[in-house]
Amino acid sequence: MKNLELDLGERSYPIFIARDLLGEPDLWTKYIAGRQVCIVTNDTIAPLYLAKLKAQLGDKSVCEVILPDGEAYKTLATLEQIFDTLLEKNHNRGTTLIALGGGVVGDMCGFAAACYQRGVQFIQIPSTLLSMVDSSVGGKTGVNHPMGKNMIGAFHQPNCVLADLSLLDTLPEREYSAGMAEVIKYGLICDAPFFEWLERNIAGLMSRDTDLLEEAVYRSCVNKAEVVAEDEREGGRRAILNLGHTFGHAIETAEGYGNWLHGEAVSAGTVLAMALSLELGWLDADVVKRGKNLLELAGLPIVPPENMDVDQFLQLMGRDKKVLDGRLRLVLLKGLGEAVVSSDAPEATIAKVLRAAGVRA
């Protein structure tokens, strides 16, 4: 087993990474605050792992909320189901919520924990590669709005993160590839040796070699933990974790949440961010080529959707959370493993890059 700690002072917590962790309650049940537990999951994951999780909870008073699966349900209306259950079952401030699922479940469960009685504790048990390496770590929680992704939420850190790699055995190939977009991101933004390791081992990772997968999840979490520890609430450096996300969120919003998976949109967005970095003279063409090649080998799209146009892209990007004082801030690259947050890209240059990528004028 690999493990690390996200250092946030009194809000620090461990991240455990190995196979079959769900069946080791002595490792993680100590992070449950009281007797009451509410498991939040979805109708895809519940038949697979809910019973096994409940069996580890002994004499706890356990209830569950089974949400519909999919990004389309990451809404305030769906969130009400969690609050309704907590109130119906008389859960108090000592309750602990457990998120059993992918990024949507984790974000919604965490947001419910942040809000219920002004804040209760929760645990993340991610079931997708993307949630293991990204959304379960760092305390970002929330829901989508029809006009923008993740626009309603809160920072709320979990008590621990249990990355049980055996849960990935049932993950579809498309979802697995989507998670690789976030893995590759860490190499591009802050860890060039990791990027080179990924280039050497991408075939084994795509065949889900256990040792390689454990190492990739661990190194991704180490990178994210270091950035979050430095900047918990994204006042500065943490924004580099959003490489490709401003372009990607525009794609997700335009296409309808869930039609493009988050990792797929981030992949296409990352290629656009690299192309913009190249256009600004900050990045070598060889790095762009290597980045695109690695994303393709991971089974990810590297071009934006055909039906979007430049004006639509720019309008949706203008609603991004990184916009400050009317200026669009983008995460760009100045080298392999060197990301910056910049407002220096003129709109005309962004439009030029979009057109060059095949986006309609």
Side-chain angles (χ1 to χ4, degrees):
M1 182 181 71
K2 293 183 181 291
N3 64 281
L4 63 144
E5 180 163 292
L6 203 162
D7 183 6
L8 292 171
E10 62 181 16
R11 294 183 310 286
S12 299
Y13 54 91
I15 302 166
F16 302 106
I17 305 162
R19 288 186 62 86
D20 303 316
L21 292 176
L22 207 58
E24 298 187 28
D26 291 346
L27 178 69
W28 55 270
T29 54
K30 59 188 174 184
Y31 297 99
I32 297 174
R35 187 167 181 273
Q36 292 181 314
V37 175
C38 178
I39 302 169
V40 180
T41 186
N42 66 37
D43 52 17
T44 298
I45 295 300
L48 298 171
Y49 303 114
L50 179 58
K52 184 174 182 178
L53 174 57
K54 291 176 71 174
Q56 315 306 315
L57 296 175
D59 62 353
K60 302 291 185 183
S61 176
V62 182
C63 68
E64 68 263 4
V65 181
I66 302 176
L67 304 174
D69 186 14
E71 188 84 25
Y73 300 101
K74 190 179 173 184
T75 64
L76 286 170
T78 306
L79 192 72
E80 289 282 351
Q81 296 180 39
I82 304 175
F83 297 134
D84 289 348
T85 299
L86 291 170
L87 289 165
E88 288 167 2
K89 301 295 184 180
N90 295 314
H91 279 238
N92 57 41
R93 284 184 170 175
T95 191
T96 299
L97 276 58
I98 299 179
L100 175 65
V104 171
V105 166
D107 280 10
M108 295 185 72
C109 179
F111 190 32
C115 297
Y116 187 67
Q117 297 196 16
R118 298 186 176 90
V120 297
Q121 299 182 57
F122 84 111
I123 290 172
Q124 288 271 21
I125 305 181
S127 65
T128 66
L129 178 58
L130 191 147
S131 57
M132 286 183 185
V133 302
D134 186 57
S135 60
S136 69
V137 178
K140 277 189 176 181
T141 72
V143 296
N144 299 330
H145 188 278
M147 291 191 291
K149 184 176 170 69
N150 292 331
M151 283 295 177
I152 304 165
F155 288 95
H156 192 61
Q157 301 294 344
N159 288 13
C160 75
V161 177
L162 197 71
D164 185 338
L165 301 177
S166 62
L167 271 61
L168 300 181
D169 292 348
T170 53
L171 188 68
E173 288 298 323
R174 185 183 173 196
E175 294 270 1
Y176 185 86
S177 287
M180 284 301 301
E182 297 285 2
V183 175
I184 293 167
K185 172 193 74 178
Y186 292 110
L188 288 169
I189 63 171
C190 63
D191 193 345
F194 182 41
F195 184 89
E196 292 161 356
W197 181 88
L198 290 170
E199 288 182 309
R200 294 192 301 272
N201 292 288
I202 188 63
L205 282 168
M206 296 313 295
S207 67
R208 309 198 194 194
D209 177 276
T210 295
D211 292 338
L212 293 175
L213 185 55
E214 184 176 278
E215 181 68 13
V217 173
Y218 173 74
R219 291 179 70 166
S220 297
C221 289
V222 166
N223 280 310
K224 181 154 191 182
E226 288 177 353
V227 173
V228 172
E230 181 181 326
D231 177 22
E232 180 182 1
R233 291 179 174 263
E234 204 170 289
R237 186 167 184 258
R238 180 169 178 169
I240 69 169
L241 296 170
N242 294 314
L243 177 69
H245 284 57
T246 301
F247 291 106
H249 287 170
I251 292 171
E252 288 183 86
T253 303
E255 294 298 294
Y257 299 124
N259 290 314
W260 273 58
L261 298 180
H262 176 66
E264 293 171 339
V266 165
S267 176
T270 296
V271 174
L272 289 169
M274 290 192 295
L276 181 56
S277 302
L278 176 65
E279 181 67 25
L280 293 170
W282 294 356
L283 192 62
D284 291 339
D286 179 63
V287 176
V288 178
K289 180 180 179 181
R290 291 168 66 190
K292 289 171 67 175
N293 182 58
L294 190 55
L295 291 165
E296 277 198 294
L297 290 172
L300 288 158
I302 59 171
V303 294
E306 295 179 354
N307 59 318
M308 289 185 71
D309 60 50
V310 170
D311 288 343
Q312 185 182 26
F313 249 110
L314 294 174
Q315 180 184 25
L316 290 170
M317 290 168 67
R319 294 179 186 154
D320 190 81
K321 296 185 294 298
K322 289 178 290 304
V323 172
L324 185 64
D325 296 329
R327 299 190 68 186
L328 180 59
R329 297 187 302 155
L330 293 169
V331 183
L332 301 173
L333 297 177
K334 288 201 168 182
L336 181 59
E338 185 183 356
V340 294
V341 183
S342 174
S343 303
D344 293 339
E347 186 173 294
T349 305
I350 299 172
K352 178 182 177 182
V353 166
L354 289 167
R355 288 193 298 271
V359 179
R360 290 184 289 113

